Amino acid sequence: MAVAVEVGELVGRAREGQHRAIARLISLVEDAHPQLREVAEALTPYTGHARIVGLTGPPGVGKSTSTSMLLSALREEGKRVGVLAIDPSSPFSGGALLGDRIRMTEHATDSGIFIRSMATRGHLGGLAWATPQAVRVLDAAGFDVVLIETVGVGQSEVDVVRLADTTVVLLAPGMGDGIQAAKAGVLEIADVFVVNKADRDGAETTVRDLKQMIAMVRREVRGHSWRQPIVRTVAAKNEGAAEVLSALDEHHEWLQARGELLRRRTARAAGEVEAIALQRLRDQLADLRGGDRLPELARQVVERELDPYSAAEKLIGDLTR
Ligand code: GDP
């Protein structure tokens, strides 16, 4: 049995910036606690203020180092920053790699920063519903910026885009020919490109190749194209943070001016609702599997009393009743 939680009090303490309360709320989300709905309801009035920035790129490109650099720069501007490090390959939560590497640094003792790792593999519904709810926790807790860091492999970078207002794609020279490694999909999802490790040979080649690729894939959003900027950084030496932040600001202004921010957030909410609804239906179906209804319908299909489509419709009818 899950322990009952004083949700209102917990949310209150999270809003005062108490890290333990924030961590507890995210754990409730991850564990799909029975009071999840109550938690979501209590958070809702306080959400909608944080800027949500996704950061993705192949392993070793410098995501952790860049996150750390951006954290310092944002803190200098007086911003409070929450970081969710999503590790799609790890089945372990609460202590996955990416966040730990940042946690080790000077940010560990800063109360204006909250860092949490989330593992999504083997998780109920994966990134689909747990991560957006964790983002809501951080948003409601009053962080000005929520950074979602994820390794650019497979589906995860596409998922991160669905969550973020602005998506930053990191590339670096000498990483299996950088850009060839980054699939066309990654080029399309980027709002801002960062070529990290600009201190390395080949950085200018990476930038040039990237420009060519961008020209090929340039997308139009309601007739107004956003020109994806390319920012060069040396995250290991804290070089380029100001340029990244100003690119983020410009993109945010562009989003607001075009009504695109609202459109993105609405699309995100639609995805969230859908993911939650699907999970519910799956749970209910799983319950039915143990009962008599499904075997009875199956029997009717075998006996040719029903076709499988009609049987499925009857089943859905039961679910939504
Ligand atoms: P992640 O796997 O994408 O999170 O990458 P990390 O942040 O862990 O960085 C991978 C390696 O690249 C580490 O050894 C970093 O010290 C190094 N690194 C990060 N940024 C730079 C940079 O700007 N220049 C150079 N030369 N190395 C960097």
Side-chain angles (χ1 to χ4, degrees):
M1 263 304 279
V3 181
V5 180
E6 233 337 301
V7 170
E9 189 198 315
L10 201 55
V11 170
R13 285 197 281 124
R15 287 188 47 74
E16 285 167 15
Q18 291 188 29
H19 276 198
R20 282 185 58 184
I22 299 168
R24 179 92 176 91
L25 283 169
I26 295 181
S27 294
L28 293 180
V29 166
E30 276 193 312
D31 301 342
H33 192 276
Q35 283 169 281
L36 196 54
R37 187 169 172 177
E38 203 185 324
V39 169
E41 222 175 281
L43 294 174
T44 292
Y46 306 113
T47 55
H49 302 295
R51 278 204 214 171
I52 306 182
V53 177
L55 198 81
T56 189
V61 73
K63 290 180 299 299
S64 296
T65 317
S66 299
T67 298
S68 188
M69 170 180 83
L70 293 175
L71 274 173
S72 302
L74 285 163
R75 289 300 288 145
E76 270 172 35
E77 290 184 354
K79 303 250 167 61
R80 297 181 64 228
V81 192
V83 179
L84 285 178
I86 312 294
D87 188 344
S89 61
S90 169
F92 307 106
S93 67
L97 292 169
L98 300 166
D100 283 352
R101 276 188 271 158
I102 308 165
R103 234 192 306 262
M104 305 282 214
T105 66
E106 74 269 23
H107 306 302
T109 54
D110 183 349
S111 65
I113 285 175
F114 180 89
I115 297 166
R116 172 74 167 233
S117 298
M118 289 183 86
T120 54
R121 198 180 72 177
H123 209 272
L124 301 158
L127 195 60
W129 65 269
T131 312
Q133 302 316 313
V135 170
R136 279 178 178 277
V137 170
L138 295 179
D139 185 4
F143 289 102
D144 301 294
V145 179
V146 176
L147 271 177
I148 311 170
E149 182 195 318
T150 189
V151 184
V153 286
Q155 181 63 26
S156 57
E157 71 266 33
V158 181
D159 286 340
V160 82
V161 176
R162 292 211 192 96
L163 295 177
D165 300 327
T166 300
T167 298
V168 180
V169 171
L170 266 83
L171 298 168
M175 300 199 51
D177 282 335
I179 297 164
Q180 274 86 335
K183 293 150 291 184
V186 173
L187 295 174
E188 274 173 51
I189 61 172
D191 298 306
V192 173
F193 284 104
V194 169
V195 173
N196 187 40
K197 307 194 185 183
D199 53 331
R200 291 234 177 127
D201 287 346
E204 284 317 305
T205 312
T206 305
V207 170
R208 203 183 54 227
D209 292 351
L210 186 53
K211 280 184 178 157
Q212 279 176 2
M213 292 287 284
I214 292 172
M216 278 165 55
V217 202
R218 170 145 295 146
R219 69 204 156 135
E220 299 277 322
V221 181
R222 291 203 196 135
H224 307 286
S225 76
W226 161 254
R227 293 184 160 261
Q228 298 150 300
I230 303 173
V231 183
R232 296 166 181 78
T233 59
V234 185
K237 293 186 196 148
N238 273 326
E239 289 173 22
E243 289 77 4
V244 176
L245 292 192
S246 77
L248 292 179
D249 282 345
E250 265 175 49
H251 187 248
H252 188 76
E253 279 164 27
W254 180 88
L255 286 173
Q256 277 186 316
R258 307 282 184 212
E260 179 70 4
L261 188 63
L262 186 62
R263 199 196 65 75
R264 285 189 185 197
R265 289 186 171 185
T266 307
R268 181 160 82 224
E272 260 183 90
V273 173
E274 202 175 293
I276 293 167
L278 276 174
Q279 188 60 45
R280 282 230 163 167
L281 289 174
R282 267 192 221 109
D283 291 347
Q284 288 181 355
L285 266 175
D287 287 348
L288 276 183
R289 225 170 273 143
D292 302 332
R293 182 66 170 148
L294 186 55
E296 171 56 20
L297 287 169
R299 189 196 60 75
Q300 286 177 297
V301 172
V302 173
E303 301 285 335
R304 296 187 297 278
E305 291 164 20
L306 270 182
D307 68 277
Y309 283 86
S310 310
E313 259 165 39
K314 282 181 188 292
L315 195 62
I316 292 169
D318 286 356
L319 291 180
T320 49
R321 194 174 296 147

